């Protein structure tokens, strides 16, 4: 097992009490327990407080445009299939600006793990409603309350029959470590929607709000698609934590080591088919 210290300690710009701290520590512990050294790890992120995560961990990383973390992560995996690829960003970046990439990544099913820090608000840009903000939630930008129903990402992922769909909470770090490990070990696309408080801009969905509603799944059949959809639909009255749905199906091809291979033009057809 790798030592957690190899992933480094860095000064962050997060607010004291932010759930990002627990998620960062849990990710490092999961990587250490899976014995994935920094030089075998690639992390992609978009824009937002959560998207700063790759700055605070020793790894190969790309911090790109808002909502574009998944296309980059898929490119990383296609060009470097031997690497562990993790994509990390917030609920706005992943489900708002990156919403189309989210559904496309589920269909494409490359071996990439998506960790979404879901605090139900835009934190970096000072508290506008995000796709997961509840209808009626009053913010400075929505003084009459958010006008739309909240997006339920795990329900959408399950409806699309994504290979691995889980929900976790930054306030349950031991459970979070195990869930991240299971997601990385899954052979194919995996989603972990991680609920966390935003102590500065979301005064409704607080640590205690999540704590009162969250419970860890027990005796749940992860392969039962209908049961998984019903569990996903419990939010927000109750919040089931754990693997809601898992489908054991080979992921699509990762291609070949693009960075180390030279191709002739005549190889183009074979190359394109290797990514089909």
């Amino acid at each position: 097992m790798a030592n957690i210290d190899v992933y480094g300690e860095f000064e962050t710009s997060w607010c004291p009490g932010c759930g990002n701290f627990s998620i960062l520590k849990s990710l490092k512990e999961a990587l250490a327990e899976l014995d994935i050294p920094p030089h075998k790890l690639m992390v992609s992120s978009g824009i937002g407080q959560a998207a700063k995560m790759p700055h605070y961990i020793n790894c190969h990383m790309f911090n790109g445009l808002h909502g574009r973390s998944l296309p980059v992560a898929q490119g990383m995996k296609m060009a470097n299939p031997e690497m562990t690829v993790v994509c990390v960003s917030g609920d706005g970046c992943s489900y708002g600006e990156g919403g189309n990439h989210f559904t496309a990544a589920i269909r494409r099913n490359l071996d990439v793990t998506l960790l979404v820090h879901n605090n139900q608000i835009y934190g970096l840009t000072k508290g506008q409603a995000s796709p997961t903000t509840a209808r009626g939630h009053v913010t400075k930008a929505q003084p009459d309350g958010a006008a739309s129903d909240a997006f339920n990402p795990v329900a959408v992922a399950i409806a699309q029959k994504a290979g691995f769909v889980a929900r976790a909470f930054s306030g349950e770090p031991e459970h979070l470590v195990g869930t991240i490990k299971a997601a990385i070990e899954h052979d194919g696309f995996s989603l972990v929607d991680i609920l966390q408080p935003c102590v500065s801009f979301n005064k409704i969905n607080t640590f205690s709000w999540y704590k009162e509603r969250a419970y860890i799944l027990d005796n749940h059949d992860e392969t039962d698609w209908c049961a998984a959809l019903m569990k996903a639909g419990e939010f927000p009255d109750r919040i089931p934590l754990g693997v809601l749905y898992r489908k054991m199906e080979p992921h699509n091809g990762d291609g070949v080591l693009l960075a180390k291979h030279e191709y002739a033009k005549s190889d183009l057809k074979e190359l394109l088919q290797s990514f089909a």
Side-chain angles (χ1 to χ4, degrees):
M1 186 176 84
N3 189 314
I4 192 172
D5 294 337
V6 302
Y7 305 106
E9 284 290 338
F10 303 89
E11 182 179 354
T12 77
S13 60
W14 294 330
C15 303
C18 177
N20 286 335
F21 291 102
S22 173
I23 299 172
L24 174 60
K25 185 172 184 292
S26 296
L27 174 59
K28 289 179 179 178
E29 289 183 5
L31 293 167
E33 292 181 17
L34 292 172
D35 201 22
I36 299 172
H39 71 279
K40 288 288 187 181
L41 174 66
M42 305 185 87
V43 180
S44 168
S45 71
I47 296 295
Q49 293 292 356
K52 297 175 182 175
M53 177 83 86
H55 295 256
Y56 308 141
I57 183 169
N58 284 329
C59 63
H60 303 284
M61 58 83 75
F62 188 93
N63 185 189
L65 298 175
H66 212 182
R68 305 297 184 261
S69 54
L70 271 171
V72 173
Q74 291 169 103
M76 287 175 166
K77 190 64 181 180
M78 291 167 71
N80 303 276
E82 82 286 7
M83 304 289 279
T84 296
V85 177
V86 175
C87 181
V88 57
S89 246
D91 46 297
C93 186
S94 301
Y95 305 139
E97 289 81 4
N100 184 47
H101 296 304
F102 172 62
T103 56
I106 293 172
R107 293 171 51 229
R108 196 162 291 132
N109 193 29
L110 294 179
D111 192 11
V112 169
T113 295
L114 172 62
L115 306 178
V116 181
H117 301 217
N118 185 356
N119 55 17
Q120 301 183 250
I121 206 81
Y122 279 100
L124 181 69
T125 46
K126 316 307 180 191
Q128 303 97 324
S130 82
T132 57
T133 302
R135 177 190 281 270
H137 185 139
V138 175
T139 74
K140 290 183 179 178
Q142 286 85 24
D144 296 324
S148 302
D149 288 330
F151 179 70
N152 186 328
V154 295
V156 171
I158 294 167
Q160 279 194 261
K161 297 189 175 180
F164 182 103
V165 184
R167 180 165 259 159
F169 172 42
S170 63
E172 295 283 356
E174 184 176 349
H175 178 265
L176 176 56
V177 171
T179 305
I180 293 174
K181 285 174 59 180
I184 292 175
E185 289 183 310
H186 175 75
D187 184 18
F189 179 81
S190 53
L191 165 69
V192 184
D193 184 71
I194 308 169
L195 298 167
Q196 63 160 109
C198 175
V199 295
S200 296
F201 298 109
N202 189 339
K203 305 300 184 183
I204 295 176
N205 308 112
T206 61
F207 183 92
S208 60
W209 187 92
Y210 290 120
K211 196 72 175 177
E212 291 168 2
R213 291 163 174 77
Y215 71 96
I216 296 175
L217 282 168
D218 188 25
N219 295 321
H220 169 64
D221 182 358
E222 302 165 356
T223 65
D224 187 330
W225 184 67
C226 291
L229 274 175
M230 292 186 67
K231 286 296 177 186
E234 289 183 8
F235 192 92
D237 298 328
R238 301 187 75 212
I239 305 176
L241 305 179
V243 181
L244 278 72
Y245 182 66
R246 191 193 312 247
K247 181 178 65 174
M248 303 308 294
E249 184 174 281
H251 70 276
N252 287 331
D254 296 324
V256 291
L257 287 167
L258 293 179
K260 297 180 181 178
H261 194 89
E262 294 184 2
Y263 293 93
K265 290 184 178 178
S266 58
D267 295 335
L268 183 59
K269 183 177 180 180
E270 181 180 352
L271 174 63
L272 292 174
Q273 288 178 339
S274 71
F275 294 112

